[in-house]
Amino acid sequence: MDQDDNLGKQVQEKEALSTTLSGVASASIAAPPIPHITTNIVPLSTILKNYSEHSYKELTQLLITLQSTTTSDLFRENFIRLYVLTKWSRYAENFTKLIDLLNWLRMIIESISSNPIWGLKNLSNSLTSAKLPNPDLITALEVLVKGRPQLPSYNFIKQDSLSASTILKTLKNLNVILSLRLSLIQSLPKKFYNYTVKDGRCYFNIPKGFQCCVSLANDDVNNSQFFLIDFKFNFIFKDNIIVYNDEITKLPTVTHERVENLSNQLLQANRLNSSGGLNELYKFLHNFTLNYKLYLIHRQLILMRIGYWKSQINHTYNADKNIIIINYWVKSTQKKNAKSYFELSVLNDELVLKWIKDGILIETIQTFEDENEFCIEKIVTKFTEEHVKKLMFSIYDELLVLTNDNTNKVQIKETDNTPQLMLELLSMKFTTFSISPLSGLIYFINPSPLVASFVTLLNQDLQENLNKLAIRLLSLSLETRVERLNSMMSSTGWFQSKIVKLSGEEESKLTSTKLLNSIQYFKRKDWPQGWFLVASINVNTTDNLNWFVCRIKSYLGNWSIQWYEKLDILSLLKNTNDTADGLVDHDTLSALAELSTSKLLSHIIVEELENSGAKLKMINSNIKKGILDLFMEDGNLDSKEPFLIVENGSFFKIPNASSSIFIKIKLLSSNNLKIVIYGRLKNFKMNSLNETIQERNQNDDDMISEENSQQDDQEQASLNYDSSTSIFKIISIVNGNFITSNNVNSINAINNIPNVMSSINNNRKNTHNNVGNNSNRNIVNNHNVNNNKVLKNSLRLISRFSKIVTLIQNISTEESVKIIRNTLKTIEFQYGGDDQKTAPQTATLSILDPINKSGSKRSFAPKFSSLASNFELKLSESNPHQISLLQLTNLMNKVGILPMLKVLKLTLPIVESLSCLNKFKDDMVFINEDDTLKKFPVLTFRPLCYESNLFNILYNVMKPSEPTKRKAKKSTGNNMENQKTYEKLSFSLTIELKNSRNKDIIYLHSQTSATSSLQYQPQILKDIFSGKIKFPNSIPLDSGIACEYKNCYDLINWIHDKICTYYLGLKDEDTINSTGTVAIGNSNNHDQSSINNNGIKV
């Protein structure tokens, strides 16, 4: 046990000793410390100090602006970051050690990886001188096989020279062997079929290519190898051109040797082929020749680029790919990825030219060389001219499409080089242009400044779109026409307006196409605002120039056409064969001013008619016949003068007139407007009329300015009616300067009239199809309708004429009425005289201008008005109807003329009898013959008229009453005496025209009333009314008596006689005077001065 314990102790002591020694040893050779990293590491204390200072400043500023500043969370976030850093700093020592360790490991890895590489590199460089050469295996193989190497002698070993016979013999043998060898080859290249064998060689000649000769080195006919002996080119490069002639081009020695070596290698490698390597030899030499040609073409292009074609072409030569790309027209604006160029390349062992136009392969050509030369400049010129030709014909086709195949506007002319296009700018005026083959740009021959300004735009369109180019060319023609038109219009008194900007929808009313169209606006100095003469110019239609008169209005910057009408300008030309382009000349424009102004004024007239409710008509066969019949009486109808066809029943309403009334309008040279209204009366006879009126035109306030007064003095109207043809014609002359006045109501009304279409011209396309179709017009509202200003005098005449015709028509229906004479304002007629008792009487009806109830003049629409001032009845002083003139006038204007005429006829016996009551002598019977007493007439009467059919004879009778006493005027005393007194009694005889059972009768009766003075009825009347006293052809009715109107004359006189006899006891010689006073004997002795109208002496 003890031994074991000791042994264990010894072992432990040894282990402890060894541990100690190892520790000492390790301590003596301890590893260096790991480097500590301090870069970009900031102490935490520094961070806390700096942020504390920053926080203090921020908090101080925050306290100052605390009330007006919203607190931010920035401080809180930063303090959280500081808190995190503080917590993390507890373990910062471990992180620092980790960073140091990672840095140390990175340094160790870098030293391990880079140092051995550089050491090996240095070792390789240092062992360069110790390298051994490669073993000469070929020489070793010769020694092994032949026993000795075959080394070059370097002419140190002299050889015997050959004799001439040996040489000739050898050459002949070679010729035979070559002939046999070539004849046995089955796949000889076609280009080598033509060969020559001589001098121990076989010569191959390729035209425009190369020459070469081959030979053999032994007499093996089947397997002997061909060797290339010589090679030359069959062309020369002279004056920048490849020339094909008998001259040849030799290769430089170095190049020749290189070609020879490569050729022999091909022949050796392919000597066992069926062609003996000749196919490969031909391909090699042929490709070499083509490459050399490409190089020479490259040199030609370089010289072209610094010469005539400078900046017009560029090229790219790629020798590796055997290709040359020639870009032409480089200055022109080309499409992206669609350039035009030539491509010269070797394709299938041939030199091929590809023409790419606008990115599209047009043609691939293999044979493009001339017979004697190859000039790339000629080739480029040829194809650029072809390109120009294609472009020109394409442009020509596009122009034909746009001009509807009008070859008069576009013509193409073939020339030696490139075609030229001739574009018609104006009538018989062309501009010629073409495209330059050099630059590909359009140029004009002798261009004007306007044409020259289009060149840049045309060249831009040339490469973009030919259709756009063709449109641009036609727009050039359009601009030329516009320029000339503006110049011509300016020289003839027109002013161009550039402020009008119509929308596309509005412009479509004036032109059928938006393309290649220009609209120009012109006006005259004396035209009103908003009226324009519009020229619509087109170059791609047959109707190149259209003229319109338009009313254009702007509202909030938007222009709109209120009214328009196309002008028939061809009617202004003497030569109708002129084309539309030839219309723009001074004579035509001068006539155009008259026509357009006439249309403008005509439209104003049309609006006045339409605002009054008139309906216009379209021309049809019936109306056309009526026009011809009507105007045959007045001469030929001038097509330049517009005219209207108005439906008679819609406005004029002229009785017995045709359904259509024609209005012809003409602008006179004195700037006056002549308006002629035609019509025909049907089945009506009237005396001929020829009258003229000349009146002033007052405005709504009945105020006439000096200017308007002078203007109206020149205005007049006349009416002519021919009874033989029944044609009436109203001619009015209106001063055309009224349209420039801003005070004209009709012009102001036009400003509010949208899209009012007229039927002024029979060729008008925009009119309605029938009278009732108003789809193309908007009649102005009633509050916009003003009095007719232009047609004032004409309508006044029409109104009078219509009334005269109506009057004559109405008066003619009465058989007892006969028209004696008539004028435009009056009709004189005769009535009565049907029997011997009444004499015929004459009367005159006059027409007055209508007056509104408000006192202002009404519009002159020819309506048969019922106002009191329309008609006036005039009678002569001797006409018995003077007693009822006022009542007849009221009746006429209340119920009409016909009832008045009837009453006039039926009451004639009544008024005749009333006027004949003075058939007795002119003496009076007095009440008292005492000279001391005043004298009074016994009986007085007075005829009265209450209504046109109601008359009255008022009688006053002085009847004696009971005697009274009166005091005598004596100075001696107051004596009383008896006084004779009289009582005044009144009664009446009423004469009334009545209609009973459609029969006109005269009813006579006496009216009594308890409330009036007519309380007395004499016994004589009672006896007559009851039938006690009878009168023939009368009917007593107790309350009165009746008879026919023809018998009333005798009845009235008979009753009057009875009354006078009853009260006065008259004898035959006694009379009743005109004052209604009964008289007996001579009245010259009596005092007449104090007798009143009632015949009673006061």
Side-chain angles (χ1 to χ4, degrees):
M1 290 291 294
D2 294 336
Q3 293 180 353
D4 295 331
D5 293 334
N6 292 331
L7 183 60
K9 291 179 179 180
Q10 292 177 358
V11 171
Q12 291 177 358
E13 289 176 357
K14 290 181 179 179
E15 292 178 355
L17 181 60
S18 60
T19 303
T20 302
L21 291 174
S22 62
V24 173
S26 61
S28 60
I29 57 172
I34 298 175
H36 181 61
I37 302 299
T38 58
T39 305
N40 295 331
I41 296 179
V42 181
L44 180 62
S45 60
T46 304
I47 296 174
L48 294 175
K49 177 182 177 181
N50 293 338
Y51 193 74
S52 298
E53 295 176 355
H54 174 73
S55 300
Y56 176 76
K57 293 180 181 179
E58 293 293 330
L59 289 173
T60 302
Q61 185 68 23
L62 183 63
L63 289 174
I64 296 174
T65 60
L66 183 62
Q67 295 181 356
S68 60
T69 306
T70 304
T71 58
S72 176
D73 294 336
L74 182 61
F75 287 123
R76 182 174 178 276
E77 294 177 358
N78 290 338
F79 277 109
I80 290 174
R81 292 189 180 96
L82 290 176
Y83 174 74
V84 173
L85 288 175
T86 305
K87 296 289 289 181
W88 179 80
S89 64
R90 297 179 182 179
Y91 309 101
E93 184 178 359
N94 295 334
F95 285 100
T96 303
K97 289 181 180 181
L98 179 60
I99 293 172
D100 295 342
L101 181 59
L102 290 175
N103 182 62
W104 180 77
L105 289 174
R106 189 179 295 108
M107 294 171 58
I108 294 300
I109 292 172
E110 184 177 357
S111 62
I112 291 174
S113 60
S114 60
N115 291 338
I117 294 175
W118 284 105
L120 292 175
K121 180 65 175 177
N122 292 332
L123 181 61
S124 176
N125 293 335
S126 64
L127 293 177
T128 301
S129 60
K131 183 178 180 181
L132 296 175
N134 294 329
D136 189 1
L137 298 180
I138 297 176
T139 304
L141 185 59
E142 289 182 358
V143 172
L144 179 61
V145 174
K146 299 182 179 180
R148 63 176 183 83
Q150 187 173 355
L151 300 176
S153 62
Y154 301 103
N155 293 327
F156 288 109
I157 301 175
K158 295 182 179 180
Q159 297 181 356
D160 297 335
S161 60
L162 297 176
S163 61
S165 59
T166 302
I167 294 173
L168 290 174
K169 183 179 179 180
T170 301
L171 292 176
K172 289 181 180 179
N173 292 333
L174 284 175
N175 291 338
V176 174
I177 294 171
L178 283 171
S179 299
L180 293 175
R181 184 78 169 88
L182 292 173
S183 62
L184 294 175
I185 295 175
Q186 299 179 358
S187 59
L188 188 67
K190 292 183 178 180
K191 295 293 183 180
F192 282 178
Y193 282 179
N194 185 14
Y195 58 87
T196 302
V197 178
K198 64 178 181 177
D199 299 331
R201 301 178 182 183
C202 180
Y203 294 90
F204 296 102
N205 188 8
I206 309 301
K208 297 182 182 180
F210 59 89
Q211 295 180 11
C212 68
C213 55
V214 297
S215 185
L216 298 174
N218 54 46
D219 55 359
D220 188 356
V221 177
N222 295 320
N223 297 321
S224 58
Q225 176 188 345
F226 288 103
F227 291 91
L228 180 64
I229 305 301
D230 194 9
F231 176 81
K232 299 174 184 178
F233 292 116
N234 271 343
F235 52 83
I236 61 173
F237 189 68
K238 182 180 180 181
D239 297 332
N240 199 30
I241 298 175
I242 299 176
V243 181
Y244 301 120
N245 52 23
D246 296 336
E247 299 184 33
I248 58 175
T249 300
K250 294 183 179 181
L251 297 179
T253 304
V254 177
T255 305
H256 188 278
E257 291 179 354
R258 179 63 176 166
V259 171
E260 186 178 347
N261 291 333
L262 293 176
S263 300
N264 290 331
Q265 289 177 10
L266 285 174
L267 290 172
Q268 182 181 4
N270 298 283
R271 70 179 185 276
L272 300 178
N273 291 345
S274 59
S275 62
L278 293 180
N279 278 329
E280 288 73 14
L281 176 64
Y282 168 75
K283 291 180 181 179
F284 170 72
L285 296 179
H286 181 65
N287 289 332
F288 176 67
T289 303
L290 295 179
N291 290 337
Y292 183 63
K293 282 187 177 181
L294 288 176
Y295 170 73
L296 295 179
I297 293 171
H298 165 63
R299 289 179 59 184
Q300 292 184 57
L301 292 172
I302 292 175
L303 295 176
M304 287 173 60
R305 290 175 60 180
I306 63 177
Y308 178 72
W309 293 80
K310 184 178 181 180
S311 302
Q312 304 299 337
I313 64 170
N314 59 38
H315 77 285
T316 302
Y317 173 48
N318 192 332
D320 295 335
K321 295 183 179 180
N322 299 328
I323 186 172
I324 294 179
I325 296 178
I326 306 170
N327 295 310
Y328 61 96
W329 297 352
V330 295
K331 275 192 172 181
S332 62
T333 305
Q334 306 230 354
K335 299 179 184 178
K336 294 182 179 179
N337 302 323
K339 296 182 179 180
S340 298
Y341 58 91
F342 304 112
E343 181 181 297
L344 282 169
S345 61
V346 178
L347 181 64
N348 297 327
D349 296 331
E350 293 293 337
L351 190 60
V352 176
L353 175 65
K354 293 182 180 180
W355 180 22
I356 292 87
K357 183 171 75 71
D358 298 331
I360 301 173
L361 179 62
I362 300 300
E363 192 174 3
T364 300
I365 306 172
Q366 294 184 349
T367 304
F368 54 88
E369 302 179 49
D370 292 339
E371 184 68 26
N372 299 321
E373 62 182 8
F374 182 93
C375 181
I376 190 62
E377 184 176 5
K378 291 183 178 181
I379 296 174
V380 172
T381 302
K382 174 184 176 182
F383 283 98
T384 53
E385 290 177 353
E386 184 67 22
H387 192 171
V388 168
K389 186 176 181 180
K390 290 180 179 293
L391 287 176
M392 294 297 288
F393 275 97
S394 298
I395 296 172
Y396 178 68
D397 293 338
E398 291 289 344
L399 289 173
L400 287 180
V401 172
L402 292 175
T403 57
N404 299 322
D405 295 332
N406 190 346
T407 56
N408 293 327
K409 292 186 177 181
V410 183
Q411 301 176 13
I412 192 165
K413 180 173 63 174
E414 294 283 353
T415 60
D416 296 337
N417 298 326
T418 56
Q420 295 178 349
L421 272 176
M422 298 176 63
L423 177 65
E424 184 184 33
L425 299 180
L426 297 170
S427 179
M428 304 304 293
K429 181 180 179 181
F430 291 83
T431 183
T432 304
F433 73 94
S434 184
I435 300 176
S436 172
L438 178 65
S439 61
L441 300 178
I442 291 178
Y443 68 92
F444 286 86
I445 299 175
N446 299 324
S448 64
L450 177 62
V451 173
S453 64
F454 270 74
V455 173
T456 302
L457 296 175
L458 290 173
N459 285 319
Q460 291 178 359
D461 298 334
L462 178 61
Q463 299 300 330
E464 293 179 4
N465 192 333
L466 292 183
N467 180 261
K468 187 177 180 181
L469 171 65
I471 294 174
R472 184 87 65 182
L473 285 171
L474 292 180
S475 66
L476 170 61
S477 176
L478 179 64
E479 289 297 328
T480 304
R481 299 176 190 214
V482 170
E483 183 181 44
R484 186 193 174 195
L485 176 63
N486 293 338
S487 176
M488 298 290 290
M489 295 293 283
S490 177
S491 64
T492 52
W494 292 92
F495 298 91
Q496 185 180 12
S497 177
K498 297 183 179 180
I499 63 173
V500 181
K501 304 293 181 183
L502 291 178
S503 62
E505 181 179 358
E506 291 295 321
E507 286 187 351
S508 62
K509 299 177 182 178
L510 305 177
T511 179
S512 59
T513 175
K514 296 181 180 179
L515 185 65
L516 300 173
N517 177 72
S518 178
I519 298 179
Q520 303 295 314
Y521 306 91
F522 304 95
K523 64 186 308 180
R524 305 288 291 187
K525 182 179 179 180
D526 54 353
W527 279 20
Q529 183 180 4
W531 288 90
F532 299 92
L533 174 66
V534 180
S536 177
I537 310 171
N538 299 288
V539 294
N540 60 336
T541 59
T542 56
D543 195 5
N544 292 329
L545 182 59
N546 295 316
W547 296 92
F548 299 87
V549 176
C550 296
R551 164 66 177 160
I552 303 177
K553 183 179 179 182
S554 175
Y555 178 73
L556 298 179
N558 297 322
W559 293 84
S560 60
I561 300 176
Q562 304 297 306
W563 173 87
Y564 70 97
E565 180 177 348
K566 185 176 180 181
L567 301 180
D568 183 16
I569 196 170
L570 290 176
S571 61
L572 304 178
L573 299 177
K574 296 181 179 179
N575 185 7
T576 57
N577 295 325
D578 291 344
T579 61
D581 291 338
L583 299 183
V584 185
D585 52 37
H586 286 86
D587 295 337
T588 304
L589 292 181
S590 299
L592 183 63
E594 179 181 350
L595 177 61
S596 58
T597 304
S598 177
K599 294 292 185 181
L600 186 152
L601 299 176
S602 302
H603 174 67
I604 296 175
I605 296 173
V606 169
E607 286 183 340
E608 290 186 354
L609 292 173
E610 288 180 337
N611 295 340
S612 301
K615 295 181 181 180
L616 305 179
K617 284 187 176 183
M618 287 287 293
I619 292 182
N620 53 38
S621 58
N622 295 330
I623 295 179
K624 186 174 182 181
K625 184 178 183 301
I627 294 174
L628 296 177
D629 295 342
L630 188 63
F631 285 101
M632 281 178 63
E633 303 292 337
D634 193 52
N636 295 328
L637 177 63
D638 190 355
S639 61
K640 300 178 184 178
E641 300 174 0
F643 65 96
L644 306 147
I645 305 174
V646 183
E647 184 180 353
N648 181 34
S650 66
F651 180 63
F652 298 110
K653 298 182 179 179
I654 303 175
N656 290 89
S658 57
S659 61
S660 299
I661 302 297
F662 303 92
I663 303 177
K664 186 170 68 172
I665 303 162
K666 182 178 181 180
L667 185 66
L668 304 179
S669 58
S670 59
N671 204 24
N672 290 336
L673 188 67
K674 180 179 180 181
I675 304 173
V676 185
I677 301 176
Y678 294 88
R680 187 192 296 271
L681 297 181
K682 298 185 299 183
N683 302 324
F684 186 79
K685 291 184 179 181
M686 183 177 67
N687 297 332
S688 298
L689 294 175
N690 191 1
E691 298 192 18
T692 302
I693 64 170
Q694 185 172 353
E695 300 182 13
R696 288 184 176 180
N697 180 20
Q698 295 183 352
N699 56 18
D700 294 339
D701 298 330
D702 294 331
M703 299 295 293
I704 305 177
S705 64
E706 181 179 356
E707 179 182 357
N708 288 336
S709 177
Q710 295 176 358
Q711 167 186 320
D712 293 332
D713 289 342
Q714 300 177 359
E715 296 183 2
Q716 62 181 1
S718 63
L719 183 142
N720 178 270
Y721 173 74
D722 189 352
S723 60
S724 62
T725 61
S726 298
I727 294 178
F728 62 87
K729 179 171 62 175
I730 299 174
I731 303 174
S732 61
I733 307 297
V734 181
N735 193 335
N737 293 328
F738 79 94
I739 62 174
T740 60
S741 174
N742 294 326
N743 297 323
V744 178
N745 292 333
S746 59
I747 296 298
N748 294 334
I750 293 172
N751 294 331
N752 299 319
I753 300 176
N755 298 330
V756 179
M757 311 297 293
S758 69
S759 299
I760 294 177
N761 204 300
N762 58 345
N763 292 326
R764 172 90 182 274
K765 295 182 180 179
N766 294 321
T767 51
H768 41 69
N769 293 328
N770 50 62
V771 174
N773 184 6
N774 290 327
S775 61
N776 289 333
R777 59 186 74 211
N778 255 332
I779 302 302
V780 73
N781 294 332
N782 291 332
H783 64 274
N784 287 329
V785 177
N786 296 283
N787 291 340
N788 295 300
K789 300 298 180 180
V790 182
L791 297 176
K792 177 194 66 174
N793 292 333
S794 299
L795 295 183
R796 181 179 288 115
L797 281 176
I798 291 179
S799 177
R800 293 176 180 176
F801 181 69
S802 177
K803 289 179 180 180
I804 284 294
V805 173
T806 303
L807 284 176
I808 294 175
Q809 183 181 16
N810 292 332
I811 293 174
S812 300
T813 57
E814 288 291 332
E815 297 179 356
S816 62
V817 177
K818 180 181 179 182
I819 297 176
I820 300 175
R821 66 180 61 88
N822 64 273
T823 65
L824 195 58
K825 281 191 173 183
T826 61
I827 297 178
E828 185 177 355
F829 59 93
Q830 184 179 23
Y831 66 95
D834 296 340
D835 51 20
Q836 297 179 354
K837 299 177 182 179
T838 59
Q841 303 294 331
T842 60
T844 303
L845 273 176
S846 300
I847 300 176
L848 303 178
D849 290 336
I851 303 295
N852 277 331
K853 293 181 180 180
S854 60
S856 60
K857 289 187 178 182
R858 299 189 307 149
S859 61
F860 296 101
K863 297 180 180 179
F864 203 70
S865 177
S866 62
L867 296 178
S869 59
N870 278 352
F871 301 98
E872 181 183 10
L873 180 65
K874 295 181 180 180
L875 302 175
S876 62
E877 292 293 334
S878 61
N879 194 311
H881 268 110
Q882 282 284 352
I883 191 173
S884 61
L885 177 60
L886 178 62
Q887 290 78 8
L888 289 172
T889 302
N890 292 335
L891 175 67
M892 173 182 62
N893 289 287
K894 183 177 181 180
V895 297
I897 295 176
L898 289 179
M900 186 273 296
L901 293 176
K902 185 176 182 180
V903 170
L904 199 65
K905 167 188 173 183
L906 297 178
T907 58
L908 180 59
I910 298 176
V911 296
E912 283 277 8
S913 64
L914 295 179
S915 65
C916 293
L917 292 181
N918 57 350
K919 66 180 180 178
F920 301 103
K921 295 181 180 179
D922 195 13
D923 289 333
M924 295 188 298
V925 176
F926 292 93
I927 301 297
N928 198 335
E929 297 180 356
D930 190 355
D931 295 337
T932 61
L933 297 178
K934 294 181 179 180
K935 298 178 181 180
F936 296 93
V938 176
L939 176 67
T940 62
F941 60 90
R942 183 174 61 177
L944 301 174
C945 178
Y946 296 118
E947 296 290 342
S948 59
N949 63 336
L950 181 62
F951 300 87
N952 194 302
I953 303 175
L954 179 63
Y955 293 91
N956 294 313
V957 180
M958 301 301 292
K959 183 178 179 183
S961 61
E962 294 295 332
T964 58
K965 292 182 178 182
R966 68 178 182 87
K967 188 176 181 179
K969 294 182 179 180
K970 292 183 178 181
S971 60
T972 57
N974 295 329
N975 296 327
M976 302 295 294
E977 58 181 7
N978 293 330
Q979 178 68 37
K980 187 177 181 179
T981 62
Y982 293 87
E983 180 182 4
K984 180 181 179 180
L985 299 177
S986 299
F987 63 93
S988 66
L989 178 64
T990 302
I991 306 169
E992 187 175 358
L993 173 64
K994 287 189 174 183
N995 184 277
S996 177
R997 297 179 182 179
N998 296 325
K999 186 176 182 181
D1000 297 315
I1001 61 172
I1002 303 298
Y1003 177 54
L1004 288 82
H1005 60 93
S1006 178
Q1007 295 180 352
T1008 59
S1009 174
T1011 60
S1012 65
S1013 60
L1014 301 177
Q1015 302 177 1
Y1016 172 72
Q1017 185 175 10
Q1019 185 62 39
I1020 186 64
L1021 291 180
K1022 293 180 180 179
D1023 294 341
I1024 293 173
F1025 295 160
S1026 62
K1028 291 180 180 181
I1029 301 177
K1030 296 183 179 180
F1031 184 80
N1033 299 324
S1034 64
I1035 303 174
L1037 300 173
D1038 291 337
S1039 61
I1041 188 171
C1043 68
E1044 294 183 358
Y1045 81 96
K1046 295 181 179 180
N1047 300 322
C1048 70
Y1049 179 83
D1050 295 334
L1051 179 61
I1052 293 172
N1053 288 328
W1054 178 75
I1055 294 176
H1056 180 73
D1057 292 342
K1058 291 297 182 182
I1059 293 174
C1060 292
T1061 303
Y1062 177 77
Y1063 284 103
L1064 300 176
L1066 294 177
K1067 298 178 181 180
D1068 294 338
E1069 63 274 10
D1070 297 330
T1071 62
I1072 300 175
N1073 63 12
S1074 59
T1075 61
T1077 302
V1078 180
I1080 301 177
N1082 191 2
S1083 61
N1084 296 331
N1085 298 326
H1086 303 291
D1087 184 10
Q1088 301 288 336
S1089 61
S1090 61
I1091 299 177
N1092 63 5
N1093 293 332
N1094 294 329
I1096 301 175
K1097 185 175 182 181
V1098 181

